[in-house]
Amino acid sequence: SPTASPTVSPPKNDENPTLSPMNNLHPTGVIEKLPKDNIHINPGYFNYDLTDEAYGPEAWGKIEATDTDEYNYWKDLQEYLPVSLTENTCNSAKFFNGNRASPVDVRATEDDCKEYHEIRTLDGSVTLQSNNVDLQIRPNMLRISYPRRKNKKDLEPDVPTVDVPQGWGKFLDVVRVDFVCPAEHTLLGEKFDCEIRIYVIQKAGRGVPVITLLAKVGKFNNHLQEALDEFQKVWESNDNACQKSNRNLRSSQLGSKFDNETNTRTLVTSNWNPWKFMQQTKSYWFYGYSGGLTEPPCSYFLHWRIIDTPIELSEEQLQQMKQLIMTNRDPINCKYTSVHNQYGSFARPLQDSSRLLIHRCTCTDFLPDKTRKKINKKSCKRGTEDEWMPNPTDLIPSPENLIETPEETPGETQEEVPVV
């Protein structure tokens, strides 16, 4: 079980999540904020309760960095990172002088796009059902963790890869994809319902590029649902493990529906890959800035590339993602693992970006590869952006964009009503 997971007792008024009457069962129960006296804290535990002085965002700086999940995930790559993972830098005012922490409100603050071509991608052949692909319901997100190749020249595992512009090296391996709801970044002050982060390995000491897509409620997203169906199997497997250990307690509520339920990973050849989300945006352009992890130890080694146009997902899919996380239980001790706050949120508050340099790449910097070949031009002329870009806004950096994130109270940071 993740070291960042709390060991908690289920709330008395919602002992078990209810299940929707579908062939593929979706978790639909919502777990309210858990009382502190029911929590057994593991080392590295944190949560998103803005009023929690011991484990909420304001207390993250007190956590021992080496106890965190993110330290354990990245420590094997320490020699390739520009910072020490053993140092907790969540107190951004102390360590970064308030200008390197993430997440932030994304807006162009400098005219310095050094990228000269689109983000080029290769799908790979690894599928979500591959035995070496690990799907995890984390305490604060959903995660697809890909296997790592020992050497770049190795042909297997054939994971998705990407050519990130600005001298990162051709076709770096994707190591994980995180689904975070709600989105932690905002764009020109606009909030989004989720963000999808695609992390890439680069072993030259510069850090880790993160290709990020924002998502808002709209149309049903078939590609997203393929992934959610696989996460649902993980949820069902965890839930079944707890039912078997405590079947009598739950029999009056669930009957015999789960008696013959199986949760094995099905063997199909669907070539799911995260780059299809980029295709959905119909945009090749993005914002970029150097920042950090959005959970402890908040280490500063990420190079964010945030696509300027959001994708869509349905309201049902958004709720399914949240329920998968909020109602998940550790299959070993059957305790709920979620660390959401009373607003059902897993978002770290926006960090001060008053001196953060954020660049915006547009068609004046580069045109898509196919377009270049077709018209024999590398970029568009200023003033013609609306002919090429789906989101031709925020094109000219302005000093007015250098804004300070105001102090916020818990009630002001969320628009949702508290979860009950």
Side-chain angles (χ1 to χ4, degrees):
S1 106
T3 59
S5 303
T7 303
V8 297
S9 299
K12 294 181 180 179
N13 63 345
D14 193 359
E15 192 71 21
N16 302 297
T18 58
L19 300 170
S20 60
M22 301 180 180
N23 292 331
N24 291 323
L25 298 174
H26 290 188
T28 58
V30 178
I31 308 304
E32 67 180 23
K33 189 179 71 168
L34 298 167
K36 294 180 182 178
D37 57 0
N38 283 339
I39 298 177
H40 174 71
I41 301 303
N42 291 325
Y45 170 77
F46 66 92
N47 63 41
Y48 293 85
D49 183 355
L50 299 174
T51 64
D52 189 338
E53 297 179 356
Y55 303 104
E58 292 300 317
W60 287 4
K62 304 174 185 178
I63 299 172
E64 186 68 37
T66 54
D67 287 336
T68 64
D69 277 0
E70 286 293 71
Y71 169 81
N72 289 321
Y73 182 88
W74 296 106
K75 65 181 180 181
D76 293 341
L77 298 170
Q78 175 63 84
E79 63 180 302
Y80 306 115
L81 300 178
V83 298
S84 172
L85 294 173
T86 61
E87 186 174 35
N88 183 321
T89 53
C90 291
N91 188 341
S92 59
K94 175 181 177 182
F95 288 95
F96 300 145
N97 204 17
N99 66 344
R100 293 183 180 178
S102 300
V104 298
D105 181 40
V106 177
R107 54 185 68 222
T109 64
E110 65 166 350
D111 189 11
D112 192 29
C113 173
K114 294 184 174 66
E115 286 86 342
Y116 53 89
H117 64 75
E118 67 177 76
I119 297 174
R120 297 164 178 159
T121 63
L122 292 175
D123 295 348
S125 61
V126 171
T127 72
L128 292 181
Q129 294 80 17
S130 299
N131 290 331
N132 53 1
V133 173
D134 187 18
L135 279 79
Q136 305 170 9
I137 302 179
R138 310 288 299 169
N140 56 348
M141 66 182 68
L142 303 176
R143 173 173 296 168
I144 300 170
S145 185
Y146 287 100
R148 299 179 188 175
R149 286 189 291 180
K150 294 182 179 180
N151 300 298
K152 189 175 181 180
K153 294 182 180 180
D154 293 344
L155 297 179
E156 299 293 339
D158 185 20
V159 299
T161 56
V162 59
D163 180 357
V164 182
Q166 198 185 358
W168 283 94
K170 290 188 176 180
F171 296 105
L172 307 174
D173 289 357
V174 172
V175 291
R176 79 187 199 198
V177 180
D178 289 348
F179 300 81
V180 182
C181 301
E184 293 191 291
H185 288 88
T186 58
L187 179 58
L188 297 173
E190 182 180 356
K191 296 181 179 180
F192 292 85
D193 297 298
C194 294
E195 65 182 68
I196 301 171
R197 304 169 180 170
I198 307 168
Y199 292 77
V200 180
I201 285 289
Q202 202 268 1
K203 296 183 177 181
R206 290 179 62 182
V208 173
V210 187
I211 314 301
T212 304
L213 300 108
L214 301 170
K216 63 180 180 181
V217 167
K219 297 179 180 178
F220 182 85
N221 192 313
N222 286 307
H223 187 58
L224 173 62
Q225 193 60 46
E226 288 185 44
L228 294 185
D229 288 345
E230 295 303 313
F231 283 114
Q232 183 179 305
K233 294 175 186 177
V234 176
W235 184 91
E236 290 174 9
S237 177
N238 294 343
D239 192 64
N240 278 352
C242 292
Q243 290 173 37
K244 290 177 182 178
S245 65
N246 202 5
R247 190 175 298 274
N248 291 335
L249 178 64
R250 293 170 59 88
S251 60
S252 60
Q253 296 174 339
L254 295 177
S256 59
K257 184 168 186 62
F258 279 83
D259 287 348
N260 299 314
E261 191 74 29
T262 59
N263 292 282
T264 56
R265 300 279 291 278
T266 56
L267 298 177
V268 297
T269 57
S270 174
N271 187 18
W272 190 98
N273 72 82
W275 305 129
K276 290 184 180 179
F277 290 124
M278 288 185 59
Q279 297 170 15
Q280 292 176 5
T281 69
K282 298 181 179 180
S283 179
Y284 299 86
W285 300 280
F286 48 84
Y287 291 83
Y289 80 97
S290 297
L293 299 170
T294 62
E295 65 179 74
C298 309
S299 306
Y300 170 58
F301 61 84
L302 300 184
H303 294 262
W304 295 91
R305 297 295 181 266
I306 301 175
I307 306 302
D308 65 3
T309 303
I311 64 171
E312 293 186 356
L313 75 165
S314 70
E315 177 65 32
E316 182 183 23
Q317 289 177 308
L318 173 62
Q319 294 307 318
Q320 182 182 359
M321 294 173 76
K322 289 185 175 182
Q323 303 303 328
L324 284 169
I325 304 170
M326 288 193 290
T327 66
N328 182 58
R329 292 193 288 174
D330 187 312
I332 298 176
N333 59 34
C334 295
K335 306 298 183 181
Y336 291 97
T337 60
S338 177
V339 291
H340 66 276
N341 63 21
Q342 63 268 46
Y343 301 97
S345 175
F346 304 94
R348 185 188 190 189
L350 288 176
Q351 302 298 293
D352 180 14
S353 60
S354 59
R355 286 177 291 176
L356 182 65
L357 297 179
I358 305 175
H359 66 269
R360 172 145 171 48
C361 294
T362 71
C363 65
T364 61
D365 300 295
F366 59 83
L367 286 170
D369 290 345
K370 290 183 179 179
T371 304
R372 283 182 171 186
K373 293 179 181 179
K374 185 176 181 179
I375 67 174
N376 197 29
K377 290 183 179 180
K378 292 184 177 180
S379 60
C380 73
K381 293 183 180 180
R382 290 194 180 277
T384 66
E385 291 91 347
D386 59 348
E387 299 176 17
W388 304 95
M389 301 175 62
N391 186 17
T393 59
D394 195 27
L395 300 175
I396 302 176
S398 169
E400 296 178 358
N401 280 347
L402 294 170
I403 60 173
E404 183 173 355
T405 302
E407 291 281 334
E408 296 177 317
T409 62
E412 292 174 335
T413 58
Q414 303 287 342
E415 294 181 353
E416 301 91 350
V417 295
V419 174
V420 294

